[in-house]
Amino acid sequence: MSQLAEVFEIKRQGFNLRRGVGVAVVMLVPLIVLGVLHQEKYFLSVAFAALFVGLSDPGGDYGYRVPRMALVAVVGALLTVLGFGIGGWAWGLVVLAAFVITVLAGLTVKYGLHRFTAALLLNIWFLITLALPAAYHLDHVHTNPWAQALAWLIGSALTIAYTGIIWLARGRSAQPQPGADVLPGDITPVKLTRQVILFVLIRAIALSAAVAIAFGLHLPNADWMPVATLVAMKPSLQQSTLIAEQRLAGAIIGAAVAALFLLTLASKTGLEVVIVILGALAGATRAVNYALYCAAVAGAVLIAMDLPHPSNLGDEGRRVLFTFIGVGIAVIVMLLANLLQKHTAKAAQPAPAHQSRRG
């Protein structure tokens, strides 16, 4: 099998229509209700809470799942307040916050797959919240961090309630843990060695550099750069080259999809529907192909970041350019990660027998 075929290998048995429909329902209901109430400015917080809390579902018995999803909901609400609160402030504070959040999210690899995946999704949401205040300001939309945090909690509650309904409909049976299909490869709890901590810091510095360029230079559409960097970066030192390639491919495809819809759809409602569809695809294809899953998440995130903006061909050209710059930053990080892996593997090799013997 060629490398390209391996990156896009389809596992049809992993398609989960029920999960995709569930994601679509809990994202579409707020779209309709908020549209009727003329409160569309809260849609993104509600929709991404529903999507990301759902994707962080650890599976198992309902009593086990609810506290963990609720924790993601609460942390996400706090990040919403922080992101919307400082998004329009001095760029230095924004960069510092992005660095700290990325370090903390990276360190959750110590606790295993489920918490790490949830932290990664919350890290992405935090980048969205940093970009949205400026976007809303350009669109003359007024909002406040606490109202957006409440919208996030409402979206989270919708997902938790939907999960409970499905649990009851299935006779209160435990749900198989979906965590293993979120990321290919093994991300069991990882000891925080010096190499792992160094890699976490490298990732955070790379993301902070992308945020500094986007917010410090006030470049139009540069907010796509840090998102592309985070989506494309290898999440942990232990992950394989294949995962890195799939994340890179997903970031690029997601950017292309987002640029296409932002350029061709003038209706904000239409773009919101596209976000719902991409969210449903992410939920349904998590175990089908990781590159396609990353593409769906990236596409939804990038459309959301520029939803309030009017769009033209020049905007889309800059957005794609900044996406490739962000991916380039991620490639540099992954090269450093490979060096770390080689160094770690070399250090772990046992010494030759003749060196360990003493006369």
Side-chain angles (χ1 to χ4, degrees):
M1 181 183 294
S2 68
Q3 191 67 17
L4 184 62
E6 191 175 3
V7 169
F8 291 102
E9 181 183 4
I10 301 297
K11 299 176 182 177
R12 292 181 177 84
Q13 69 276 12
F15 185 75
N16 192 326
L17 179 61
R18 183 177 297 166
R19 183 162 56 196
V21 170
V23 170
V25 168
V26 296
M27 293 179 73
L28 190 59
V29 169
L31 175 60
I32 297 172
V33 173
L34 292 173
V36 171
L37 298 175
H38 303 291
Q39 297 293 328
E40 293 89 347
K41 60 186 176 182
Y42 298 115
F43 168 69
L44 293 178
S45 293
V46 176
F48 277 94
L51 175 61
F52 286 173
V53 171
L55 291 176
S56 66
D57 180 3
D61 186 75
Y62 191 64
Y64 172 82
R65 298 157 69 188
V66 169
R68 285 152 182 81
M69 288 192 289
L71 177 61
V72 174
V74 171
V75 174
L78 295 176
L79 290 178
T80 302
V81 172
L82 178 61
F84 274 95
I86 69 173
W89 289 16
W91 69 273
L93 181 61
V94 173
V95 172
L96 176 62
F99 175 80
V100 172
I101 296 302
T102 305
V103 168
L104 293 176
L107 292 176
T108 58
V109 72
K110 175 182 178 181
Y111 302 104
L113 173 63
H114 304 306
R115 290 185 178 89
F116 179 80
T117 302
L120 181 62
L121 293 172
L122 290 174
N123 202 168
I124 293 173
W125 170 244
F126 183 65
L127 293 179
I128 299 175
T129 64
L130 291 175
L132 283 179
Y136 282 136
H137 178 73
L138 289 175
D139 206 38
H140 306 291
V141 173
H142 302 284
T143 184
N144 69 78
W146 295 103
Q148 293 290 346
L150 177 60
W152 170 275
L153 289 174
I154 291 172
S156 304
L158 285 173
T159 290
I160 294 172
Y162 177 82
T163 303
I165 292 171
I166 298 300
W167 175 69
L168 290 172
R170 292 182 174 181
R172 302 184 180 183
S173 60
Q175 174 73 21
Q177 291 193 350
D181 65 17
V182 179
L183 296 171
D186 179 29
I187 307 185
T188 52
V190 173
K191 185 178 180 180
L192 294 181
T193 63
R194 185 176 64 178
Q195 286 80 12
V196 171
I197 293 174
L198 179 59
F199 177 68
V200 169
L201 291 175
I202 291 172
R203 287 182 72 244
I205 291 170
L207 181 69
S208 300
V211 172
I213 294 171
F215 287 83
L217 299 181
H218 303 287
L219 298 174
N221 310 117
D223 48 9
W224 279 34
M225 189 192 309
V227 171
T229 300
L230 184 59
V231 172
M233 271 193 297
K234 193 175 186 178
S236 77
L237 183 62
Q238 286 70 31
Q239 289 189 316
S240 68
T241 302
L242 173 61
I243 296 168
E245 292 171 346
Q246 288 177 318
R247 290 178 70 85
L248 282 171
I252 294 171
I253 294 171
V257 169
L260 175 64
F261 282 111
L262 285 168
L263 186 61
T264 57
L265 274 180
S267 167
K268 290 183 181 178
T269 301
L271 290 172
E272 289 168 343
V273 171
V274 171
I275 290 174
V276 172
I277 293 172
L278 290 173
L281 286 174
T285 62
R286 285 203 305 181
V288 174
N289 178 269
Y290 187 53
L292 297 181
Y293 164 73
C294 289
V297 172
V301 167
L302 293 172
I303 291 173
M305 292 177 68
D306 287 289
L307 185 62
H309 287 299
S311 186
N312 56 52
L313 189 59
D315 285 335
E316 298 319 314
R318 284 190 293 271
R319 286 164 180 161
V320 173
L321 172 63
F322 285 123
T323 296
F324 276 99
I325 294 174
V327 168
I329 294 172
V331 169
I332 293 173
V333 173
M334 289 187 291
L335 289 174
L336 293 174
N338 288 334
L339 291 176
L340 271 175
Q341 280 181 311
K342 291 177 181 178
H343 175 75
T344 303
K346 185 177 180 180
Q349 289 178 352
H354 68 275
Q355 293 183 9
S356 63
R357 293 172 185 163
R358 298 191 178 272

